[in-house]
Structure formats: C-alpha cells, structure tokens
Amino acid sequence: MLQDERHQRILAMLATFGRMSTDRIAADLAVSRETVRRDVLELDARGALRRVHGGVVSIDPPAEPSLGERALIRQAQKRSIARAAASIVRAGQTLFIDAGTTVSALADELATLNGLTIITNSFDVAARIMIAGREDRGHRVFQIGGQVAPGAAATLGAAAIAGIARYRVDMAMLSPVGIDSTDGATSFDHDEAEIARAMADRADRVVILADHAKIGQRSRVSYCIPDRIDLLVTDMGARDLAELDRLRQLVGEVIIG
C-alpha cells in the first residue's frame, strides 16, 4: 500500500471514530507499527491529526463517510459476513433490516433463499431482494415509510418508527458504525440509531453484523447494549482482537464468517 493511500485510510477512519490506537491502525492497514508511527508523525506535522499516548485523535469532529465511500471499504469482509449471517436464516421467517453497506451485501444473500418477509427502511435492501434473483422465490418486502434521509437511501424519523412498531419479527439484522463491550452497538447519526433501536425492541433476536474494523469502536449514539445482542457476526480479521474476547462474554453468540 502506497503512503498516500495509507494516509487517506488513516484519516478516513479518524473521520468516523474520532480516535484510533496505533495497534488498531496497524492491524487494519496490515502494516507494521513502525510504518504507522512514521505516517502519524507526518500527518501530525501537517496538522491533519493529533498524536496522543498510544494513538491519534481527529482534529475535527468525527463525520460518517458517505454511503458511496463506505461501499468501497472492506468489500470482501462484508460479503463473508453476509454469507455467514444468511446461513442462520430459515424460510418463512420475518426480518427487520436497517440501512448500510453490510446489510446491502446481506440482501444479496437473502435474495437466494425462499419465502422470507423483509421489513426495511433501506431502499437498496428492498430493491436487491426483489430484483437480485432471476426467479420468484416467494419473498415479501415491506418498505417502511417516513422521511427520506439525504444521501442515506433510507427512511427515518417518527413515521418510520411508528411503522416499525406495527410488527413483531423473528430477527432484527443490523449493522452499526461501531460495537464495543461497554456501549454495545452504536451509530453516528441519532435518527439512524433510533431506527435500529426500534427494530431491536420489536425482534425476538438481535443480530449485529460488524466487520473487524468496527469491533472495539464506539460512535456517538448507543442503540443496543451488549447483553441484548443475541448474535454478533464478524470476519476473520477480528479473531485476535482483545475486544472481541470481551464481547464474547457479553453477547449470546459470535460467528466469524
């Protein structure tokens, strides 16, 4: 990976999380701590970030990357998580699915199954399930109404939450900005967190889909505490993370895709 690309990746992670440890950056970029140290020194000298003990913090308040930017990050890991999550779904079940790039990958996998009822606030999830397959697999998809969120391709707000409250489902399959052992699943946006919280409250099981870069990260709004999470699905990059070990003690089950 070229230096400019590493610098962009470091700043993109900081834009989402606000603070990152040196070890976490090295693991996510698959480079040595010494390489990270040199990159951090240069970025600090440019005023792009601020060094602190054990890591770095953002100069500016964190802001979530756009949906298009997120769609290009860790695509292989998201696909493996989606396959693992889809493997637990059975014909005839009713699912809540929120909005995000990981659950969009999940929608592609669910489209190959049979007889599901999907209730979602994501236009992308709804479209993928209905048009991804070449044959009618008996799915029913309900698009939750509400205010359309700019740039999110999803509905949010009070009307959407009221729509969610009409249903009781087998599983809520949700993808957070971060998950840790203290606050559980968290989102950057308050309205998105409220949608996820409402879905979790009306589901018999809560399934969280989070790639390794989200494990141990905490965003602004918590919507599902660890002991309310029945299943966490992540990827192989999370295997050696200490935070995953802590989460194993709190959530119902962990699957590594």
Side-chain angles (χ1 to χ4, degrees):
M1 184 183 299
L2 298 176
Q3 184 185 61
D4 285 347
E5 184 180 354
R6 293 197 306 272
H7 288 183
Q8 290 173 5
R9 290 277 299 276
I10 291 169
L11 294 177
M13 289 187 288
L14 277 181
T16 299
F17 300 116
R19 174 186 292 266
M20 295 283 290
S21 70
T22 301
D23 288 341
R24 189 51 184 271
I25 294 170
D28 198 64
L29 299 185
V31 298
S32 68
R33 293 182 80 256
E34 181 60 27
T35 297
V36 173
R37 189 188 71 82
R38 291 195 299 268
D39 288 340
V40 164
L41 284 172
E42 182 168 334
L43 289 168
D44 182 57
R46 286 163 38 191
L49 52 72
R50 181 165 60 88
R51 287 187 297 152
V52 295
H53 179 70
V56 294
V57 296
S58 176
I59 298 296
D60 301 313
E64 189 176 24
S66 71
L67 191 65
E69 291 171 327
R70 283 181 280 147
L72 300 176
I73 300 173
R74 292 181 290 278
Q75 293 176 324
Q77 291 87 345
K78 290 173 183 177
R79 287 193 295 270
S80 69
I81 290 169
R83 286 191 294 269
S87 72
I88 70 166
V89 177
R90 299 293 176 260
Q93 289 188 315
T94 300
L95 313 174
F96 277 139
I97 303 178
D98 65 355
T101 55
T102 305
V103 289
S104 286
L106 172 65
D108 290 337
E109 298 296 327
L110 296 179
T112 67
L113 304 181
N114 296 303
L116 301 176
T117 298
I118 307 295
I119 304 161
T120 182
N121 69 317
S122 167
F123 300 125
D124 190 46
V125 167
R128 285 175 183 243
I129 291 173
M130 295 308 294
I131 69 176
R134 292 184 177 273
E135 58 185 89
D136 181 7
R137 294 186 175 272
H139 298 313
R140 296 195 303 163
V141 177
F142 294 87
Q143 179 73 54
I144 297 168
Q147 180 182 357
V148 178
T155 54
L156 302 173
I161 292 171
I164 292 168
R166 296 172 51 207
Y167 299 96
R168 185 77 199 180
V169 304
D170 296 295
M171 287 187 283
M173 308 189 81
L174 312 170
S175 181
V177 169
I179 178 170
D180 73 351
S181 56
T182 301
D183 291 317
T186 56
S187 178
F188 180 82
D189 182 82
H190 173 82
D191 290 330
E192 291 178 2
E194 289 304 308
I195 291 291
R197 180 181 291 112
M199 288 180 172
D201 287 345
R202 299 293 296 168
D204 292 338
R205 297 184 72 199
V206 176
V207 180
I208 298 295
L209 288 67
D211 66 59
H212 67 274
K214 296 179 178 181
I215 306 297
Q217 299 301 330
R218 184 184 310 165
S219 198
R220 298 195 301 182
V221 189
S222 173
Y223 65 78
C224 191
I225 59 175
D227 62 6
R228 178 66 181 88
I229 297 170
D230 297 288
L231 174 63
L232 168 62
V233 187
T234 187
D235 63 85
M236 297 291 283
R239 285 179 303 174
D240 299 324
L241 296 178
E243 186 66 9
L244 184 65
D245 291 335
R246 288 188 281 270
L247 282 164
R248 286 183 190 275
Q249 307 303 313
L250 300 171
V251 306
E253 182 183 0
V254 173
I255 292 178
I256 296 178

